[in-house]
Amino acid sequence: MWYAFADCQERALLSRIYFSLSSVLALLTLGFAIPCCAQTAQNPAHLDVDLRDAPRHIFHAKLTLPVSAGPLTLVYPKWIPGEHSPTGPIADLVGLKIAGGGKEISWRRDDVDMYKFHVEVPKAVNTLDLSYDYVSPAENDRTREPPSSTAKLAVLNWYMVTLYPLGPKSDDLTYVATLHLPAGWKYGTALPVAKDSGDMIEFAPAPLTTVIDSPVIAGEYLRDIDLSPGETPPHTVHVAADGPAPLQATPAEVQHLRQLVAETGALFGARHYRRYDFLLTLSDRMPPDGVEHHESSDDRTEENYFLDPGLFERSELLSHEFMHSWNGKYRRPAGLATPDYQTPMKGDLLWVYEGLTQYYGVMLAARAGMMPLTIFREYLASTAAYLNDRPGRTWRDLQDTATAAQILYSLPPEWASWRRSVDYYDEGTLIWLEADTIIRKKSHGDKSLDDFCREFYGGTNTPPKVVPYTFGDVVAALNQIEPYDWRNFFDTGLQLHGPGAPLDGLENSGWKLVFTDAPNEYEHIAEVADQEVELQFSLGLLLHAPGGEDGDHILDVIPGSPAANAGLAPGMRLVAVNGRKWNPDILRDAIARAKNGTESIELLAQNGDFFEVYKVDYHGGERYPHLEPLNGKTDLLSEIAKMKAAAIPLSKSY
Ligand SMILES: [Zn+2]
């Protein structure tokens, strides 16, 4: 999963809804139901999904399920791979009806587990016919699954419209999926198609694991771009947008995306998929998001991704999700390699799953030329600076952010610096950079973390399969590349309580973190896109400033900062700066004027129904993070970020 720390747009944990069964008798009868399942590869389940109402944000589904008589427990996917959380949108499953032998069959929800439905299959009934809908939010709402459709496009994640019998592994259940799209819509997916008759797409029979791991992108405006012409396996980006203009990638952008494919070949030396499909949604009606799959990725970003060079250059979304095909899907932490969608996941190794992916996601974007080296350094500076200034580190170590991942994705930015968030992404970048520099230094430049990747994730080309790993496996594989006390190295980083973040990797690679009054370029692009004002390293404030009377408010105040010492808190609304109605320019001007002076900056803020002037005693001027070369040190960073594969030529048409 991709996590944009500046966006804080993450999948929501479900609100808890409690139902109760009507009687103790029902509890006893249903609580001990033995699951039964007549579903086999020869007698598969049929899942028919109708997206013709997707513009109205409702997905219709029909499921035909082979069964045998007796008690049956059906379940709706709860633990969603890639989300690392129990986020299956059960509250949005509506209209459930079950029939068998021509008669309606009643169902009862489990009174403890909201994702379970108990059914008594009558004698002589060997097939159940289920019908139900998934209702997608039309607007982004932090407490629910993000929108899955707009008026002109949809992303179908099969877990939203799937029920399955509890008991067997999802690998052992065979589903045949069919799909209906609105007239004129096109689609893209990695799920193998058996037949496309125009008004219905029939997919080849596949394990439920493969179906759920293979979302479909569909839309009125959709184009396919070949990212590895003439090669096997094929790589395609399917781009859908709310109109035709955003689909126009420039030849240079396509060249960079093709280079990205080549760079993964150079890095791993093997691929573990039959084909790879980027499902790229460009819509401002959906929040930026990314979820990895073995043979595809569900990538969602701004409508102007291809049109605004700043957005394309800043984004490591596609490279991050692509990297996950190896790190996350093929090799997976044992605690995340669960047999079905109900078994709880353990996030303890997410600092490998997401941390190493974050490091290489940005690195591969730089190697492919997608992200200019200057932006890449600004990203590292911004990351190092905010993590270095994270007071939450004093009570919560990095390991705890991974262990607690399932409760950290959906949180608002308020108090994030004190709470800490999913820091194993960005702090993982710092730790893996340090590991990379240690290998390079100890091997006198002969080896690097790339050798670990080739060893751990490469091998020979295979179809999708999961090879689980433990912490011990990671340590052993690193020791094969370069002997070192890797266990202690990671333990130290994972249990660090500060002060500050692990910055040795930056220093080893020839750079140091500095602050100047020039805005950080990477942050600045994010600020504009997210309508934020980043003053974390001066006043200690992060503001949401869309410009509206009600929209402007303080997102976070860094504990111990001048703003915190003055009494400001997240959730307050900034009204005026030194007596004048505030806007970002007036606030920045006030910070500059107070530099080296003695007068406090007076901020009038609204806290609920009350107004108060907060005197911020700060005289350090504007401060933004950057990297500066260390005198006498080799610039290893540029070496690490250098293109490793043969350069893909620019093609004017694609
Ligand atoms: Zn990820």
Side-chain angles (χ1 to χ4, degrees):
M1 188 174 191
W2 180 66
Y3 184 79
F5 70 83
D7 297 316
C8 290
Q9 301 279 19
E10 285 300 324
R11 301 247 162 148
L13 287 173
L14 291 165
S15 56
R16 292 179 184 165
I17 307 164
Y18 292 93
F19 288 78
S20 60
L21 287 182
S22 56
S23 71
V24 173
L25 182 64
L27 172 70
L28 289 173
T29 308
L30 300 172
F32 295 97
I34 301 162
C36 69
C37 178
Q39 195 273 316
T40 62
Q42 291 71 37
N43 194 17
H46 286 264
L47 175 61
D48 182 69
V49 178
D50 187 346
L51 290 188
R52 283 173 288 198
D53 264 341
R56 296 177 57 235
H57 315 292
I58 182 163
F59 298 3
H60 308 295
K62 287 188 167 68
L63 175 64
T64 307
L65 197 64
V67 292
S68 44
L72 171 70
T73 302
L74 296 171
V75 283
Y76 185 72
K78 179 176 186 178
W79 287 83
I80 307 305
E83 297 191 5
H84 323 309
S85 314
T87 42
I90 183 65
D92 293 323
L93 174 77
V94 303
L96 176 63
K97 293 274 189 183
I98 302 179
K103 289 184 183 157
E104 187 164 343
I105 295 175
S106 63
W107 54 264
R108 284 185 186 278
R109 192 186 299 261
D110 191 271
D111 61 349
V112 174
D113 184 344
M114 298 300 105
Y115 290 77
K116 277 184 188 167
F117 300 91
H118 300 290
V119 178
E120 183 70 26
V121 181
K123 279 182 187 163
V125 168
N126 51 23
T127 302
L128 288 185
D129 295 306
L130 297 91
S131 63
Y132 46 87
D133 293 330
Y134 169 72
V135 286
S136 168
E139 299 288 337
N140 188 35
D141 170 352
R142 214 176 264 285
T143 63
R144 291 174 72 198
E145 187 86 9
S148 290
S149 63
T150 73
K152 298 295 180 186
L153 60 86
V155 181
L156 171 64
N157 273 293
W158 298 97
Y159 66 79
M160 294 169 174
V161 286
T162 298
L163 288 161
Y164 68 99
L166 182 66
K169 293 177 181 172
S170 56
D171 282 349
D172 297 335
L173 294 168
T174 304
Y175 273 55
V176 174
T178 50
L179 180 63
H180 307 267
L181 297 176
W185 280 31
K186 291 171 273 196
Y187 69 97
T189 179
L191 192 60
V193 175
K195 198 166 70 180
D196 185 347
S197 58
D199 58 354
M200 187 176 86
I201 304 146
E202 183 180 330
F203 295 96
L208 181 60
T209 311
T210 306
V211 174
I212 287 194
D213 195 39
S214 307
V216 181
I217 190 171
E220 185 175 332
Y221 305 103
L222 185 145
R223 73 177 301 191
D224 300 336
I225 303 171
D226 189 344
L227 295 185
S228 55
E231 285 183 23
T232 306
H235 299 78
T236 310
V237 58
H238 310 272
V239 195
D242 288 322
L247 305 180
Q248 303 310 313
T250 65
E253 286 166 339
V254 174
Q255 180 192 27
H256 293 318
L257 291 173
R258 287 177 174 168
Q259 189 70 42
L260 172 64
V261 173
E263 289 301 327
T264 55
L267 177 60
F268 297 111
R271 304 185 186 278
H272 305 288
Y273 44 77
R274 298 165 292 179
R275 53 186 284 173
Y276 193 89
D277 297 86
F278 294 93
L279 314 179
L280 179 59
T281 305
L282 304 181
S283 173
D284 294 335
R285 308 299 303 171
M286 290 185 175
D289 200 358
V291 178
E292 62 277 17
H293 300 281
H294 217 126
E295 301 184 290
S296 62
S297 48
D298 174 359
D299 311 300
R300 308 177 188 192
T301 189
E302 287 91 348
E303 185 165 315
N304 284 343
Y305 176 70
F306 284 131
L307 304 179
D308 179 344
L311 289 177
F312 187 83
E313 289 176 355
R314 180 210 166 214
S315 176
E316 77 287 3
L317 170 64
L318 296 186
S319 48
H320 179 107
E321 299 307 345
F322 192 24
M323 171 79 190
H324 269 315
S325 180
W326 291 265
N327 182 33
K329 302 313 262 187
Y330 168 53
R331 298 301 313 260
R332 198 175 305 172
L336 294 175
T338 46
D340 56 29
Y341 306 99
Q342 315 311 121
T343 306
M345 294 176 183
K346 289 182 188 167
D348 57 333
L349 285 177
L350 278 168
W351 55 274
V352 187
Y353 183 121
E354 294 294 2
L356 185 67
T357 299
Q358 186 71 11
Y359 176 63
Y360 270 106
V362 182
M363 198 63 75
L364 286 167
R367 287 180 184 180
M370 299 170 74
M371 183 181 280
L373 206 51
T374 48
I375 300 290
F376 168 67
R377 283 199 296 265
E378 290 284 78
Y379 159 78
L380 277 178
S382 164
T383 296
Y386 98 84
L387 289 166
N388 206 35
D389 196 24
R390 216 68 171 163
R393 184 186 303 283
T394 56
W395 74 272
R396 169 176 250 171
D397 61 21
L398 189 66
Q399 180 61 67
D400 187 61
T401 68
T403 303
Q406 59 174 290
I407 57 168
L408 290 180
Y409 273 100
S410 61
L411 297 165
E414 285 82 11
W415 296 112
S417 59
W418 182 226
R419 178 192 288 118
R420 296 196 81 173
S421 182
V422 288
D423 288 358
Y424 47 86
Y425 283 78
D426 285 330
E427 199 154 315
T429 301
L430 299 180
I431 289 174
W432 285 105
L433 170 64
E434 188 177 346
D436 202 350
T437 60
I438 289 170
I439 296 171
R440 287 168 190 265
K441 199 171 159 190
K442 285 179 67 66
S443 67
H444 305 288
D446 282 352
K447 300 272 180 62
S448 72
L449 197 61
D450 291 6
D451 295 288
F452 163 77
C453 287
R454 186 171 270 260
E455 177 71 26
F456 203 65
Y457 302 103
T460 54
N461 284 5
T462 67
K465 64 174 183 173
V466 181
V467 182
Y469 64 82
T470 62
F471 184 20
D473 295 333
V474 175
V475 168
L478 280 164
N479 270 321
Q480 274 203 333
I481 303 302
E482 188 60 49
Y484 187 64
D485 191 353
W486 290 109
R487 184 174 290 277
N488 182 51
F489 168 78
F490 288 116
D491 277 343
T492 304
L494 289 164
Q495 293 162 18
L496 186 71
H497 281 287
L503 301 183
D504 286 358
L506 280 183
E507 203 169 302
N508 294 349
S509 62
W511 295 83
K512 67 175 175 185
L513 180 64
V514 297
F515 291 86
T516 74
D517 58 6
N520 176 292
E521 270 189 80
Y522 181 86
E523 269 173 16
H524 183 65
I525 297 164
E527 271 189 289
V528 173
D530 304 331
Q531 299 174 312
E532 289 179 1
V533 181
E534 171 63 86
L535 300 168
Q536 177 173 341
F537 308 109
S538 49
L539 299 185
L541 272 182
L542 178 64
L543 288 142
H544 188 228
E549 284 293 312
D550 297 324
D552 293 1
H553 67 281
I554 297 173
L555 291 173
D556 201 8
V557 175
I558 312 297
S561 68
N565 293 340
L568 289 157
M572 291 182 180
R573 204 165 70 76
L574 190 54
V575 179
V577 177
N578 291 336
R580 184 173 177 187
K581 184 180 175 185
W582 104 282
N583 68 40
D585 289 337
I586 284 172
L587 181 54
R588 289 197 178 99
D589 185 55
I591 294 170
R593 284 171 186 277
K595 190 176 180 182
N596 302 325
T598 54
E599 296 280 302
S600 296
I601 302 168
E602 295 192 353
L603 301 182
L604 173 64
Q606 183 179 0
N607 184 9
D609 293 337
F610 297 86
F611 293 81
E612 188 173 333
V613 172
Y614 298 86
K615 294 187 174 184
V616 184
D617 192 18
Y618 174 71
H619 309 284
E622 287 190 80
R623 291 177 81 240
Y624 303 101
H626 305 281
L627 294 190
E628 205 172 74
L630 273 168
N631 282 341
K633 281 247 185 184
T634 310
D635 174 13
L636 213 48
L637 209 51
S638 299
E639 173 60 31
I640 298 173
K642 214 157 67 181
M643 190 179 283
K644 302 291 189 276
I648 301 286
L650 182 75
S651 168
K652 288 224 164 65
S653 61
Y654 55 86

